[in-house]
Amino acid sequence: MAAHSLKTVHNLSSLFAQKLTLSSATSCVRRSMAGTSCCRSLNQSTAAVSFIPKRYNSFFNTFTSDQLWKSMTALTGKAHKKARGKRPQRRRRKDLNKGQIIGEGQARMAWPGLNTPIIKNNQVQVIHKKDVDPEREEMLRKVREDWDKRRKRITAPEDRGWTSKSWGGRGLGPPDPIPGENFEEFESKVLHVRRVFNMTANVGRKRSISALVAVGNKQGAIGYAYGKAPDMMAALRKAKNKAANHLVYIEKYNDDTLFHDVESTFRRTRIRMKTQNKGYGLRCHRVLIEICKLAGIKDLYARIYGSKNPVNVIPAFFNGLLEQETHQQIADRTKMHVVEFRDECGPLPIVVASPKDGAIQESVGTDWDKELPLEWKEERPRPKPSPFAREGILTF
C-alpha cells in the first residue's frame, strides 16, 4: 500500500514538473539538438521546478480615477495640515478623454459595432486599420495646448463684488431651504471675509475662514451672521444659513427711506444717518449700501466716524435702524400731532400721525428731537469774497 502511494505521488510530481518547467524543458531540447548524452538520461522526476514571478495588480488598475488625480493635484500630508511657507502652484485636473473617440487610439483601428457600422455598402465590415486623419491630430494638439491656458472667468456684474479679487459684495443666492420655508425671495451678500491663523501645539499653524454675510428680501426683512470654517465655501454657506434664522424687520417711510435722523454707536464706531427725499439715492459706505439694498432702503445719507471696520460698522448700522420710531410711535409718546411740510402743499402742514387715545398735549414745551445738528465736518465752508470786487465796467 505504501509503495502504491509512493508511485502515485511520483506520477503527480512528474506531471507537475512537465507542465511548469518551461525553462528546463527548453534547455533540455537545446542539449539534445547538440548531441549531448545528459538529456537522454534526464529523469522528469528529478527536474527542477522554476517559477516566473509576474504581478497582475498595480496602483494603476486598483485605484479609481479620482484617487489617482488626487495623488497628483491635491496637497496631502504635513504640507496640507500645517500650511507652512508658500505652497506650490495647485495643479489642475485634466480630462484625458476630451477629444478622444471610443475604440480609437494611436493604432487607428476600426472595430465594427463600436466605432464603425457593422454593415456598410451591403457588406459586413471586418476589423481593419483606418487611414491617418491629420485633422484629428491637429484637433488633439489644440486641446492639449488649451489645458495649460487659464480660462477667463465670466460672472454677472451683480456677482463680481467690489473688486475683482475680494469676496466683498458678491452674491451667494438664497439660503438653503428649511421645513416650511424655501427663501426664494431672499438674496445674500458677502460683507466681510477674514483669514485667521491659530498656532497650535499638535498641528501647528491652523487656518480658518471667518465670513460675515447679510440676507434680505428687499421688503424690510434682513439679517446678518458670522460663519467660521476651515474652507471658504463652508464658512460662507454657514453664515448665509445662520443669517436666515436671525431676521429682523426694518420700518421704512414711503417704502424708500427712514422716518427720522438716527445716530448710533457701537464700540469705536459712530454712524449718523439722515433721511432724504425720494430720488436722492444711497450716499454712504459700500457696506451700508449693500445692507440698504437688501432691506429695500433707496434714499439715505450716512457718515461713519471712528473705526470703519465692517465688524463694528454693521452692528452699529443695525442698531440705528432698529432704534428709529415710526410717526405713530412718536405721536403716542409725545401726545402731539406729527406734521410734515411738502412742496406741493406750500406752507400748509400735513398731519401724518396723531395719538391713538386722542389725548393731546396742550402746552408745547419740548422741541423736535429727531433731527441731528450738523457737525463741523458736514458744514460747508462759506465762499471767500474775491479780493478784486469793483462796481462798473473795467476796460483795458
Side-chain angles (χ1 to χ4, degrees):
M1 187 66 182
H4 183 270
S5 301
L6 184 60
K7 186 177 181 181
T8 305
V9 172
H10 174 72
N11 295 336
L12 290 176
S13 61
S14 302
L15 182 62
F16 181 76
Q18 183 180 1
K19 291 184 178 181
L20 294 181
T21 57
L22 299 178
S23 59
S24 300
T26 305
S27 61
C28 181
V29 171
R30 289 178 180 177
R31 291 177 182 177
S32 62
M33 293 176 64
T36 58
S37 60
C38 61
C39 181
R40 300 171 185 173
S41 60
L42 181 64
N43 192 1
Q44 295 182 356
S45 60
T46 60
V49 180
S50 62
F51 296 93
I52 302 176
K54 188 175 182 181
R55 185 175 63 179
Y56 295 93
N57 294 331
S58 67
F59 66 93
F60 285 109
N61 53 20
T62 55
F63 292 152
T64 61
S65 61
D66 294 337
Q67 293 174 344
L68 292 176
W69 275 113
K70 185 177 180 181
S71 63
M72 295 296 298
T73 59
L75 293 176
T76 58
K78 295 183 179 180
H80 181 72
K81 294 180 180 179
K82 294 188 176 183
R84 291 183 178 273
K86 294 184 179 180
R87 288 180 234 170
Q89 186 178 6
R90 186 178 181 88
R91 300 177 182 176
R92 294 187 299 170
R93 180 172 179 174
K94 300 178 182 180
D95 186 7
L96 301 179
N97 295 326
K98 190 173 182 180
Q100 300 287 352
I101 302 176
I102 186 171
E104 293 189 9
Q106 296 181 357
R108 298 283 298 163
M109 298 298 296
W111 305 91
L114 183 62
N115 56 359
T116 56
I118 300 177
I119 299 176
K120 185 178 181 180
N121 297 331
N122 297 328
Q123 294 181 359
V124 178
Q125 299 294 318
V126 296
I127 300 175
H128 62 279
K129 189 173 183 179
K130 289 186 176 181
D131 298 334
V132 179
D133 188 4
E135 296 181 357
R136 179 173 177 273
E137 298 295 335
E138 182 67 18
M139 183 265 296
L140 290 177
R141 186 183 64 82
K142 291 182 179 180
V143 168
R144 290 171 184 142
E145 289 179 354
D146 294 340
W147 281 344
D148 298 331
K149 294 182 179 179
R150 291 183 177 270
R151 295 185 179 180
K152 186 177 180 181
R153 184 179 61 183
I154 301 176
T155 55
E158 59 274 7
D159 297 334
R160 291 175 186 173
W162 302 322
T163 61
S164 60
K165 294 184 179 180
S166 66
W167 278 92
R170 294 189 185 182
L172 300 177
D176 297 339
I178 59 176
E181 184 62 39
N182 51 9
F183 299 107
E184 292 182 354
E185 300 178 356
F186 284 80
E187 295 182 4
S188 58
K189 291 287 184 179
V190 181
L191 302 180
H192 187 56
V193 173
R194 291 192 302 177
R195 293 170 177 85
V196 183
F197 293 89
N198 182 26
M199 186 64 71
T200 60
N202 297 331
V203 181
R205 185 178 298 175
K206 186 178 180 181
R207 187 186 69 170
S208 61
I209 307 297
S210 178
L212 180 57
V213 180
V215 175
N217 63 348
K218 298 184 179 181
Q219 297 180 1
I222 187 173
Y224 74 98
Y226 295 90
K228 193 173 183 181
D231 185 32
M232 176 69 72
M233 300 308 299
L236 295 175
R237 183 174 60 255
K238 186 183 296 185
K240 178 180 65 173
N241 296 334
K242 190 186 296 183
N245 297 328
H246 297 82
L247 298 176
V248 295
Y249 184 76
I250 305 300
E251 298 286 349
K252 296 176 293 181
Y253 178 60
N254 289 339
D255 201 23
D256 60 353
T257 186
L258 304 181
F259 283 91
H260 54 80
D261 299 345
V262 181
E263 181 176 352
S264 62
T265 305
F266 183 80
R267 294 180 182 177
R268 300 291 295 178
T269 301
R270 182 167 60 95
I271 303 179
R272 291 166 57 88
M273 295 169 278
K274 292 186 178 182
T275 179
Q276 300 295 336
N277 296 328
K278 192 171 184 179
Y280 180 82
L282 298 173
R283 301 182 186 180
C284 48
H285 195 272
R286 61 185 184 182
V287 174
L288 305 184
I289 291 176
E290 297 295 338
I291 298 176
C292 291
K293 289 180 180 180
L294 294 175
I297 299 174
K298 303 174 184 176
D299 306 305
L300 182 67
Y301 171 81
R303 190 183 181 97
I304 302 175
Y305 297 90
S307 175
K308 293 179 175 58
N309 189 350
V311 177
N312 298 334
V313 170
I314 295 172
F317 189 64
F318 269 83
N319 294 340
L321 296 178
L322 297 176
E323 287 176 0
Q324 66 170 338
E325 295 179 318
T326 62
H327 291 162
Q328 187 62 44
Q329 292 174 352
I330 296 173
D332 296 339
R333 179 175 57 83
T334 59
K335 303 297 181 182
M336 298 172 62
H337 296 287
V338 179
V339 298
E340 182 181 7
F341 292 90
R342 298 179 182 175
D343 295 338
E344 60 269 16
C345 298
L348 300 177
I350 299 176
V351 179
V352 294
S354 299
K356 290 183 179 181
D357 54 2
I360 304 299
Q361 184 179 354
E362 296 180 358
S363 61
V364 180
T366 59
D367 298 332
W368 178 253
D369 58 347
K370 296 301 181 181
E371 184 175 358
L372 299 178
L374 291 176
E375 293 192 357
W376 67 274
K377 289 186 177 181
E378 299 174 349
E379 294 180 359
R380 295 180 180 179
R382 297 180 180 180
K384 296 181 180 180
S386 176
F388 185 81
R390 184 184 300 177
E391 296 179 1
I393 301 175
L394 184 62
T395 59
F396 295 94

